[in-house]
Amino acid sequence: MSHSINDFIESIEDSLITLRRELHECPELGFTEYVTTYKIGRELEKLGFDLSIGKESMISQSRLGKPSEDVLVANENRAREMNVPNDWLEKMKNGNTGLVAQLDTGIPGKHIAMRFDIDALPIFESKEDEHFPYQEGFYSKREGVMHACGHDGHAAIGIGVAHFLHRYKENLSGRFTLLFQPAEEGGRGAKPMVEKGWLDSVDYFLSGHIGIHSLPVGEIAATTTKFLASTKYNVVYKGKSAHAGLEPNEGRNALLAAAAASLHLNGITRHADGATRVNVGKLEAGTGRNIIADFAKMEIETRGETTALSDYMREEALRILKATPILYDVKEEIDIVGFAPSAECDSEWVDIVQKACHSSERIKNVLPVLPLGASEDVTFMIDHVQQKGGSATYLVFASPLPAGHHHPCFDFDEKVIPTAVEALGRILLKLTKKL
Ligand SMILES: [Zn+2]
Ligand SMILES: [Zn+2]
């Protein structure tokens, strides 16, 4: 069978790379992945999966950081112009993007779930000649939005796994649930899917990421450590405007309050128990040179190596964000718009993945573990599966990286797509192969 798996992966490789490039050209931000969801869904329908689209795939009210009504309507109109049919748009209306695809072999066995995230980032993609997507012409055609984390590749891997399940269905037992998750960036999309109950009876849960470490294609890691728990905040300070020359004393300066809060946040005392992070990534304030600024907006995040460290950072940050306005006599509005806990992969996966992949030609080396060192809201899923008695892991599919994640020049070697599909396919065969 090893030989035939190799041939099968080769036979779908080109179509997966084509799909990746189509998605790369049309990147969509969290909860606006209307075109992406439709494209993926069409493929899955052809492969005989049962689909739960948009609203059916999550608890809508649990979404954190939902975009504004205007943004959602504009994106729905954009999707309509790109020929997403009305019945699909109806199911996804109001930012209910993403979908869940299920396949039941009809033979009693394990329930395996897998998660693939599909969203992009607000980044202007590089148009330098060395940037491969630009060279090849499949760079983002949506100015200011970019697949700079590899989630276009993740979606393509998910479709590859669906092809694999379709092809090897007769050899497998149990049932399979594929979650195509919106809004991973900012830690927003996993929780509403978990709350829908998709992972309540899962024996095995698999997820993963392309890249992370710049290593050759063919290296994979069976498990991941160092998921940073994280909280995301949108903060508004409201003051009072006044003429900066005539009566500055009548003003209440929201700009200064936000600037002071930013500095104080970066001064949170580091914790003895491990790594923490804080970042004020965006600050907008004021209306003009001669006016005391009556508003300021900040986008902030804090992280911690463990959930406890993340809680510490959040409490400190909230204290500073609430105390600083008192100094300047301005009012604050603090919204928590994203959150992810930390998580740990089950160690049994090292053995499972190494045994599953040992006869593969594409997978040259299975590392037991690699550190992530970032946040990932998949931790909600890993945690939930484990609490319900299942086993979960997060693999790393290595690729050389010309630039880091979230960089305008980010890209990966497309050969990682068939490699990841083969790894996941072999693991599924190992876990559920009929005797
Ligand atoms: Zn990312
Ligand atoms: Zn990512």
Side-chain angles (χ1 to χ4, degrees), residues 28 33 36-37 40 97-99 116-120 147 151-152 154-155 179-184:
E28 299 177 293
E33 305 95 328
T36 307
T37 303
I40 294 167
T97 45
L99 61 83
F116 306 95
D117 47 358
I118 61 171
D119 58 323
H147 268 295
H151 301 182
D152 47 347
H154 295 173
L179 296 100
F180 288 87
Q181 183 206 306
E184 186 284 320

Side-chain angles (χ1 to χ4, degrees), residues 12 16 19 23 28 30-31 33 36-37 40-41 43-44 47 49 51-52 57-58 97-103 112-120 147 149-165 176-185 188-191 193-194 198-199 204-210 376-379 381-382 393-397 416-428:
I12 59 171
L16 297 180
L19 173 65
L23 297 174
E28 299 177 293
F31 295 130
E33 305 95 328
T36 307
T37 303
I40 294 167
E43 297 287 322
L44 293 161
L47 296 167
F49 281 77
L51 300 191
S52 301
S57 73
M58 64 174 122
T97 45
L99 61 83
V100 173
Q102 291 176 287
L103 187 78
I112 303 193
M114 280 164 280
R115 176 274 216 165
F116 306 95
D117 47 358
I118 61 171
D119 58 323
H147 268 295
C149 201
H151 301 182
D152 47 347
H154 295 173
I157 292 168
I159 296 301
V161 170
H163 275 280
F164 190 95
L165 288 170
F176 302 88
T177 302
L178 311 187
L179 296 100
F180 288 87
Q181 183 206 306
E184 186 284 320
E185 300 292 354
R188 299 176 292 155
K191 193 164 170 274
M193 282 190 143
V194 168
W198 299 110
L199 303 176
Y204 295 110
F205 176 78
L206 288 145
S207 49
H209 211 295
I210 287 174
E376 236 291 9
D377 69 356
V378 75
T379 49
M381 297 185 173
I382 292 175
T393 193
Y394 187 88
L395 295 103
V396 174
F397 307 110
V416 73
I417 294 172
T419 305
V421 174
E422 180 171 338
L424 291 168
R426 283 178 179 274
I427 294 166
L428 298 181

